[in-house]
């Protein structure tokens, strides 16, 4: 039996020409042809088109962008939805992961300030979003939280192992927070870009929903390719938080710090699994493809981030030696591999 289903790019081309009433000059796939999103080039402009196998996520993203893009400038402009294809404004060709990776420490800290400010901007714009549309709770099941806690097992073969005081049940209870604030989710630095004027916007809202609210910042802080050290990130968070809220930062930061430990572990587990499947890659290739940080330097940096935040809470402080042992292991591997 012959499959007559058009390929995704042909489908996007047809939908784009019908929606905008103009011929498409070409379609660019900077993230690779397997990605759900691409850049559609018309004679007078470019737009981003997204067509996913899971059309429900596309429709959720469309509803959210339609609402938020009218309320803040930290997200792409909603341009329409046709044939399960979402069209949104092109936020620029300068991805944050690439720009930050090439920046000096002062410029990188400034980028961190812009990135954090943009997250707060869309979260504040979305404060009453649940009143206007249904949003899913994220990480609200015991199975999901147990999986998050179990990521700690990635440290077992790398050093001193886990402390006897490590209580998975208590930690899981803390992580099982009530859904209270809008989160984009997946705020890795590859999911933000700057336009030619230097305005930074976050994109890719397919996994958005409700949770504590600090998770978006944890995604950025524990992004293994993110070059801004944790201590600087805390100061950036503090400055931006008090721009919008009068109090509550210490409690908010406490949960963020706790959650970031386990997010870092989850990212580390992903790196280890990907290395087993594909081997180590160069830093340039990882940033260019917005890939998992399968480079020893990135893995070591992630361990340092995990240790920093683990040390901020007595319930996770026992993990610091394991994080540090894993960091040393990756640094030794870095000397042997000599990857660019």
């Amino acid at each position: 039996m012959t499959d007559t289903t058009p390929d995704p790019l042909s489908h996007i081309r047809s939908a784009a020409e019908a929606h905008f009433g103009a011929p498409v000059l070409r379609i660019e796939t900077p993230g690779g042809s397997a990605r759900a999103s691409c850049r559609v080039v018309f004679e007078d402009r470019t737009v981003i088109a997204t067509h996913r196998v899971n059309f429900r996520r596309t429709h959720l993203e469309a509803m959210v962008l339609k609402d938020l893009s009218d309320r803040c400038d930290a997200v792409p402009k909603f341009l329409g939805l046709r044939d399960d294809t979402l069209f949104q404004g092109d936020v620029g060709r300068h991805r944050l992961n690439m720009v930050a990776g090439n920046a000096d420490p002062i410029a990188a800290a400034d980028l961190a300030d812009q990135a954090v400010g943009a997250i707060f901007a869309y979260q504040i714009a979305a404060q009453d979003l649940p009143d206007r549309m249904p949003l899913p709770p994220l990480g609200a099941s015991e199975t999901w939280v147990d999986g998050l806690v179990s990521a700690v097992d990635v440290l077992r073969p790398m050093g001193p192992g886990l402390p006897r005081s490590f209580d998975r049940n208590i930690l899981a209870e803390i992580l099982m927070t009530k859904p209270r604030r809008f989160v984009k989710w997946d705020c890795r630095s590859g999911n933000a870009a700057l336009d030619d004027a230097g305005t930074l916007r976050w994109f890719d809202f397919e996994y958005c929903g409700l949770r504590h609210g600090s998770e978006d910042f944890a995604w950025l802080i524990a992004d293994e390719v993110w070059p801004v050290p944790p201590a600087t990130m805390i100061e950036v968070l503090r400055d931006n938080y008090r721009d919008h809220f009068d109090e509550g930062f210490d409690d908010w930061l406490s949960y963020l710090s706790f959650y970031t430990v386990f997010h870092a572990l989850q990212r580390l587990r992903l790196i280890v699994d990907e290395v087993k499947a594909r081997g180590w890659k160069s830093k340039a290739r990882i940033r260019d493809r917005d890939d998992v940080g399968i480079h020893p330097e990135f893995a070591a940096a992630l361990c340092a981030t995990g240790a920093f935040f683990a040390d901020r809470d007595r319930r996770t402080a026992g993990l610091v030696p394991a994080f540090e042992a894993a960091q040393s292991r990756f640094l030794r591997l870095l000397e042997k591999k000599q990857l660019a």
Side-chain angles (χ1 to χ4, degrees):
M1 182 176 180
T2 303
D3 184 2
T4 58
T5 304
D7 69 84
L9 293 185
S10 295
H11 183 95
I12 288 172
R13 178 184 290 271
S14 298
E17 291 183 340
H19 185 74
F20 293 99
V24 171
L25 299 185
R26 66 182 182 277
I27 294 179
E28 300 174 354
T29 56
S33 59
R35 296 289 177 95
S37 295
C38 61
R39 177 174 282 109
V40 180
V41 181
F42 294 97
E43 184 175 1
D44 61 341
R45 60 174 161 172
T46 62
V47 303
I48 301 299
T50 302
H51 184 81
R52 298 187 177 92
V53 175
N54 187 336
F55 68 89
R56 290 181 179 85
R57 291 197 183 279
T58 302
H59 281 248
L60 173 63
E61 183 173 20
M63 289 191 302
V64 168
L65 288 184
K66 184 176 182 180
D67 189 287
L68 292 185
S69 65
D70 288 337
R71 295 168 179 265
C72 72
D73 193 33
V75 305
K77 189 71 176 176
F78 172 77
L79 300 178
L81 182 68
R82 189 183 184 101
D83 298 335
D84 294 331
T85 300
L86 166 64
F87 296 105
Q88 56 189 288
D90 189 344
V91 297
R93 297 174 181 266
H94 311 293
R95 282 195 181 231
L96 177 59
N97 61 338
M98 299 289 287
V99 179
N102 294 319
D104 61 49
I106 294 176
D110 182 64
L111 289 168
D113 182 65
Q114 293 181 63
V116 167
I119 294 174
F120 274 121
Y122 70 63
Q123 286 192 349
I124 289 170
Q127 282 181 328
D128 58 351
L129 190 60
D131 297 332
R132 299 191 295 278
M133 68 180 68
L135 291 170
L138 301 179
S141 71
E142 291 184 3
T143 301
W144 188 90
V145 172
D146 288 345
L148 186 63
V149 175
S150 70
V152 73
D153 291 332
V154 72
L155 294 175
R156 285 186 180 277
M158 296 189 187
L162 306 183
R164 296 181 65 181
S165 60
F166 189 82
D167 191 322
R168 294 172 188 255
N169 293 329
I170 290 177
L171 300 176
E173 282 184 27
I174 299 169
L175 290 167
M176 184 71 81
T177 184
K178 293 180 180 179
R180 64 190 75 177
R181 183 172 291 179
F182 176 85
V183 286
K184 170 196 173 294
W185 213 245
D186 199 6
C187 280
R188 294 173 299 108
S189 55
N191 283 334
L194 295 91
D195 62 19
D196 290 339
T199 300
L200 185 150
R201 298 179 180 89
W202 287 95
F203 57 87
D204 221 351
F205 282 73
E206 65 171 306
Y207 295 110
C208 67
L210 299 173
R211 212 171 191 277
H212 179 269
S214 63
E215 293 87 355
D216 281 353
F217 304 94
W219 273 94
L220 177 60
I221 293 168
D223 176 2
E224 58 271 14
V225 309
W226 186 239
V228 182
T232 302
M233 290 302 300
I234 287 180
E235 291 308 308
V236 169
L237 289 168
R238 190 187 309 276
D239 291 344
N240 278 272
Y241 189 95
R242 64 189 178 198
D243 284 344
H244 303 292
F245 308 106
D246 294 330
E247 57 186 18
F249 177 75
D250 289 342
D251 288 341
W252 182 87
L253 180 63
S254 178
Y255 184 83
L256 166 63
S257 299
F258 187 83
Y259 182 86
T260 300
V261 173
F262 295 94
H263 187 76
L265 287 168
Q266 201 169 48
R267 293 300 302 178
L268 184 60
R269 181 169 62 181
L270 180 60
I271 290 172
V272 170
D273 289 345
E274 289 295 306
V275 168
K276 290 177 181 177
R278 299 190 283 141
W280 298 104
K281 305 296 180 184
S282 72
K283 290 185 292 184
R285 175 188 171 91
I286 290 166
R287 286 196 173 102
D288 183 59
R289 300 288 182 89
D290 186 25
D291 202 352
V292 178
I294 44 181
H295 187 285
E297 185 175 315
F298 290 151
L302 182 60
C303 291
T305 297
F308 178 92
F309 284 100
D311 196 42
R312 292 178 59 82
D313 193 302
R314 60 177 177 77
R315 294 160 297 193
T316 55
L319 296 177
V320 172
F323 269 121
E324 291 177 341
Q327 180 187 9
S328 297
R329 178 172 175 169
F330 288 122
L331 290 175
R332 290 194 299 270
L333 188 61
L334 178 62
E335 294 177 359
K336 294 180 181 179
K337 290 291 183 180
Q338 296 183 341
L339 288 167

